[in-house]
Amino acid sequence: MAERGKDDVEPLPRGGFRCRLCRVAVANKPSLEDHLRGKKHQRLENLRTVRQSQELRSVFVSGFRKGTPASELSDYFQTYGEVVNVVMDKEKGVYAIVELQNKEMLKKVLSEPQHNLGGQKLRVKPREKKDFKYNPPRKQGSARQEQLNPEKVAQKLCEADDVDAQMSVLVQLFEFSESERHLRDLLVTLFQEVFQEFFPGSVMIPFGSSVNGFDVSGCDLDLFLDLEKAKHFQASANGSSVPQDGASPKLALHSEDSILSDVDLASATVPEVLELVAAVLQKCVPGVHNVQAVLTARRPVVKFCHKESSLRGDISINNRLAVCNTRFLQLYTEADERVRPLVYTVRYWAKQQSLAGNPFGGGPLLTNYALTLLVLYFLQTCSPPVLPTVVHLREQSGDTEQAIVDGWDCSFPKDSAQCGPSRNKESLCSFLAEFFHVFEDYDFAGGVISLREGQLLSLPSFLSSEASSKFKTGSFNLQDPFELSHNVTANVNKKTALRFQLCCRSAAKYCRSLQYQRKSTKGKIWGLVRLFQPGNLEAEAPTDKELVINLPLTMCQGKDSHQLWFQKVCAGVMFVFEDVLKCSFSETQQGLGEEGASIAEPEAKSELLSSGFKRPLDNGDDSLSPLAKRPRNGPWLPIEKSVTWNCAVWHHVWLGRRRIRRQLDPIEKTNLLELEAKVSALISQQEGEARPAEPLLRFAVRAQFNAEDTSDEQNTHISLSFALDPEQAVAFKDFFHFLQNFLPQMLEQYLAAQIP
Ligand code: UTP
């Protein structure tokens, strides 16, 4: 780490860091290093050095006549040496900061018993030492953003009378103000006018949260540039017929400098047209900057920023379905007034828990759209339902409302009255608790959530349906209500899906408490406020029952006996911890495999942790070619049904792996175990090759073979139970989440490599 920046850095939970100087948080050590080397940090460090040196050479002067010019003060202090600068208190003219040439001059000035200027006795003292504080430049709308900072939001929420009222307050706080809505309307009109010039007949249609009823102050402006009519205009202009209305397309199409002059909209590819859109935005729309075409996205877009308002937005040209689902979401918000507050609440909760939002796009979190659909699905499936299914709405739609968009049936009524009133009269407070309860144990990977049908479709039956051919199944399967082959949560990885579930579990538990249900009479936080505290609920220590990873018999490869399989898995576990994750791993001498010994018992835990838990000598065992020295078939292999190890983790090997993996040479990626070993080694290196004095984590792992009846293959499995000191529980949580995914995956690789 750059030495100079060290004092500015404060560690955060989960391996993150905060730079106090620049007021930014980063996820891990490598990012911190990047930040400390970066331009912004360097600039602020220099600025601080300059300010501090100025401070040490300056005096604070008062007592002079009001209106005394700076030059008079400067002349007076020149008698002691050179005066670099005089800064007057402009408002009142009662004090000045006089910057002197150097510290020697400062000493001279301060040692003078009395200073007089124009018959007035001056008070001259050293400048007060102030901590250098960086104040980021204020952007327009920042007053509103300030109001929306989590502390202010919490304060407002605590003032409400009950949870339902808190949810209404949340909507009022976050929805667009009149002026924000007006600004967006003006921008859309401006864009429309400019693009009409270049693409006569084109229409600029806003979609997404700006218009779907879930507007959040400062959210992106999503725009769809509909070029369908423009194509017709162009075709007819290239023939001889001139369109009757709109701006003169001929001008735009045939003038020398028209950017459209040699582009045929009908045959141009999406990237070609988007390059044009980017050029128009850059050159012709006033106040727009940071224009960038992102052509690799599922729906390619041109991103832009409106300078004055700091509003960010996207323009896409093949997103007619989004316009359609935007109207559909709008319909649902109009159908029942509880929809908006519930969605706002879940969205804010998910943002605070870092479960949704993907602020920089393309991440593993749920998109806001996906999260919104999940809440709507919940309202379709509660009993009695609050919202009708999409199939039901299609049946309600009239002839004029029939619509096929990009081949998908998007028919639904325009009028929300067709949704009918719901018989469900539950309060918002209960709905929210129920939402968390429903999803705390939901099988997101084992089925497909369908808003069209209003039910969880079983994976096997879904996979045999037509829509499934292009549907990317994953850890979270949520089908778009119209584009049935699109999994809107295809980007969500196993870790996020699991975290989502765990967060729902903690939230559901909290919602059963009085602290959630009743306003505090003692001024304590209550209701939604605690729910919204980042990581607070999730950070609760997992219980011993939850610290288990089960390895099913299906992992057993070849024709191994159960005993042999168990032995191989044990060897594999050891291999993954020691060789892949670079942990210290040693078998305990203690017979925890003995019948009746429970790893969950506190005495057992502490004994375990103290027994044989030594920092291993550095024996050059960090080979990057783990397979070269395995498998181990030494005498350590268990003959009993369980084996227990102690483990120490020295580096944050569970963080930032993907980024490092991406940086590795593709040749190095051929063997997954070797690749992962290399990733761990690089993480350790980045954190400093030497092991710290104390490991980050210590725990015990017990592998146990479980089979009531060995012919019952379904229930035969190996469980890996983890035990640790309670004070390590919170820190261990993230590592454990990582292991839940990583360990079985690596074991499979390991076992596969063992097959002769
Ligand atoms: P967002 O996920 O950004 O949702 O997708 P949002 O509701 O606009 O929320 P903000 O902007 O993050 O606050 C924007 C729109 O893109 C379409 C939907 O119309 C959505 O409202 N979309 C997004 C899809 O059609 N499919 C997707 O998988 C994702």
Side-chain angles (χ1 to χ4, degrees), residues 27 69 95 173 247 269 323 441 505 533 549 560 608 633 652 685:
Y95 71 85
L173 285 174
T269 61
V323 176
D441 285 317
R505 191 171 303 165
Q533 286 178 342
I549 296 175
D560 291 349
L608 255 180
N633 280 320
H652 291 89
Q685 265 170 32

Side-chain angles (χ1 to χ4, degrees), residues 207-209 212 219 222 298 322 325-326 347 367-369 486 488:
F207 69 94
S209 54
N212 65 12
C219 69
D222 295 310
R298 195 178 82 92
N325 63 42
T326 295
R347 276 172 65 150
T367 60
N368 280 326
Y369 175 64
H486 174 43
V488 299

Side-chain angles (χ1 to χ4, degrees), residues 516-534:
Y516 168 67
Q517 290 157 14
R518 288 205 203 135
K519 178 169 178 159
S520 162
T521 49
K522 295 179 185 153
K524 292 191 176 157
I525 57 166
W526 64 281
L528 299 184
V529 178
R530 171 135 185 264
L531 197 65
F532 290 159
Q533 286 178 342

